[in-house]
Amino acid sequence: GGGGFAAPGRRLDSGESGLGARQGSLRRHNLAVVYQLLAGADEPLSRANVAELAGLTRATATSLVDQLLGAGLVEELDARMSGRAGRPATPVRPARGTVVGLGLEVNVDYLGARAIDLTGEVIAEQVVPDDFGGSDPDQALAALAQAAKSVQRGALKRGARIVGAALAVPGPVDRPLGPLRLAPNLGWSNVDVAAILARLMPVRLIRVDNEASLAARAESAARAAAASWAPTDGFIYVSGGIGIGSAIVEGPDMYAGAHGWAGELGHVTVYPDGRACRCGATGCLEQYAGRRAVAVSSGLPPTTSGAELANLAAAGRVPVRSALADAGRALGIALAGTVNLVDIPTVVLGGDLAVLAPYLAAPITAELSNRVLASHWAPDSGAVLAAMALDLPAMTGAGLAVVDHVAADPAAHLLNA
């Protein structure tokens, strides 16, 4: 329903304005309900389906769907016969390639931007490999803004409109927009990334988050699409690169902690008197299981990629196999404490750890079996899986965060809103 109106020259009294506000609020709520039904359906729904599922009249459902159509948020498919008398039903689903979110990421060895449409498809992207360790934040974020503008131009050429952006960074962030408190491998501390990007790019930044949390969002979507994950399932996602992060996924939600900083698994101490870490502590997990640490322990250059490590391990290179076994033990020690604490038994290895999972899973599982108390009564306490979302998952998750923002309040993205 729409808001109330006053005749020309007459002011709305407080009762009328209150009615208009209530009607506007109800319309906004109903638009979100309708869009979420369409987005969450296994098959495209007709307007009649929407009316029935949402508990709305057919006329109201039709009006709301038409508003979403006009904004390019949903699209119609070819009409199909419903088996009932009358005109064939016209299925509706979230639109492809019309409305997109920008997923941005800055990490130690690359930065980039990716345009994700409302169905989760990538329609444009640009990735800039480089060494950003010790970089100047203003210069690195300026390069990120240039990549974002390039992707934006690519999306616009395809007729899409960008409704927002989200940024993944390798460190704890004050949600929703920062600052980034600490990114040891970048050498950044207390950087207001949102304010810097606001000066550099026209797209509104709606979220800044830790890269592991956003990668876990992409992993959840990938598992849901493959029907290998149910909304009630949870898992501990471990994101591995030069650093290591994690996210605790509980059903459809993610545990953030009091400040939004939960998941700093890479700085859990596994060997108290161990190697010095850039964070200032000693014996942190990433000093044993991060990609650079594994490469150096293998006698290889620190720039060796995860894929190269996997290839050398597959070829039987003993130093690499030994370093990966040590990395797996360190991961298992850290993860055992996490599983004991949160009682979520499934571990998903992402990033470089997914590629290296064949060589990490056994030592991780051995430590979990030995150290997780629940393993005595629940044999599934210690399942170790390789991630399904493998291609720059944090960037994808950032784009999906914008898609989630649209789903939560589609009224804000109507063309005449």
Side-chain angles (χ1 to χ4, degrees):
F5 68 94
R10 185 173 71 85
R11 296 181 61 186
L12 288 170
D13 63 31
S14 61
E16 290 173 303
S17 63
L19 175 62
R22 288 193 297 274
Q23 289 177 328
S25 177
L26 179 61
R27 168 180 167 272
R28 197 176 200 104
H29 169 78
N30 286 340
L31 272 169
V33 169
V34 167
Y35 181 82
Q36 288 163 23
L37 281 171
L38 293 168
D42 293 331
E43 298 289 338
L45 303 176
S46 68
R47 289 165 174 79
N49 296 146
V50 169
E52 181 179 358
L53 291 169
L56 301 170
T57 66
R58 177 68 180 271
T60 298
T62 295
S63 173
L64 294 170
V65 170
D66 288 345
Q67 290 176 58
L68 295 171
L69 277 167
L73 298 179
V74 299
E75 62 186 8
E76 293 181 323
L77 304 179
D78 293 337
R80 64 188 179 199
M81 295 305 297
S82 64
R84 301 177 182 176
R87 294 187 299 175
T90 302
V92 182
R93 69 181 182 191
R96 296 178 180 274
T98 58
V99 173
V100 300
L102 272 185
L104 311 176
E105 183 179 6
V106 57
N107 218 313
V108 183
D109 48 356
Y110 67 91
L111 57 77
R114 173 173 277 178
I116 305 283
D117 74 10
L118 297 177
T119 71
E121 294 295 318
V122 178
I123 68 167
E125 69 176 11
Q126 184 174 98
V127 179
V128 181
D130 205 341
D131 181 5
F132 293 99
S135 61
D136 177 84
D138 290 285
Q139 293 180 5
L141 293 171
L144 178 63
Q146 288 302 313
K149 290 175 183 177
S150 175
V151 171
Q152 183 181 19
R153 288 192 294 270
L156 291 174
K157 286 180 181 178
R158 296 188 55 173
R161 64 185 175 100
I162 293 177
V163 294
L167 170 64
V169 290
V173 176
D174 287 0
R175 298 175 184 175
L177 287 172
L180 167 62
R181 288 301 181 185
L182 179 67
N185 291 314
L186 286 175
W188 296 6
S189 177
N190 291 317
V191 178
D192 193 346
V193 289
I196 295 172
L197 283 176
R199 299 193 298 266
L200 297 171
M201 50 185 263
V203 180
R204 184 169 69 99
L205 192 66
I206 63 170
R207 181 174 174 182
V208 181
D209 208 341
N210 180 270
E211 62 87 19
S213 296
L214 291 171
R217 170 66 182 85
E219 181 66 17
S220 294
R223 290 189 173 273
S228 62
W229 180 85
T232 55
D233 291 343
F235 56 90
I236 300 168
Y237 181 87
V238 187
S239 175
I242 292 174
I244 291 179
S246 71
I248 300 170
V249 180
E250 286 188 290
D253 302 315
M254 203 168 300
Y255 178 72
H259 305 94
W261 302 343
E264 287 299 321
L265 187 70
H267 298 286
V268 167
T269 301
V270 288
Y271 303 117
D273 298 322
R275 301 167 187 166
C277 182
R278 291 192 183 190
C279 73
T282 57
C284 292
L285 174 63
E286 72 176 39
Q287 296 303 314
Y288 300 89
R291 186 185 70 230
R292 185 176 288 168
V294 172
V296 171
S297 294
S298 303
L300 299 169
T303 55
T304 304
S305 70
E308 289 169 330
L309 288 169
N311 289 337
L312 291 169
R317 185 75 69 87
V318 173
V320 177
R321 290 283 191 100
S322 177
L324 288 171
D326 290 343
R329 282 191 288 271
L331 280 160
I333 293 169
L335 285 166
T338 306
V339 174
N340 276 327
L341 188 64
V342 301
D343 191 26
I344 294 178
T346 302
V347 173
V348 176
L349 302 178
D352 289 320
L353 300 180
V355 178
L356 298 168
Y359 312 100
L360 297 170
I364 293 173
T365 301
E367 294 295 336
L368 294 176
S369 298
N370 184 48
R371 298 173 184 274
V372 173
L373 188 64
S375 64
H376 297 292
W377 305 283
D380 65 341
S381 293
V384 179
L385 308 174
M388 299 180 69
L390 298 176
D391 179 28
L392 300 171
M395 214 177 290
T396 294
L400 292 175
V402 181
V403 172
D404 292 343
H405 193 266
V406 173
D409 188 16
H413 302 282
L414 300 182
L415 295 175
N416 59 352

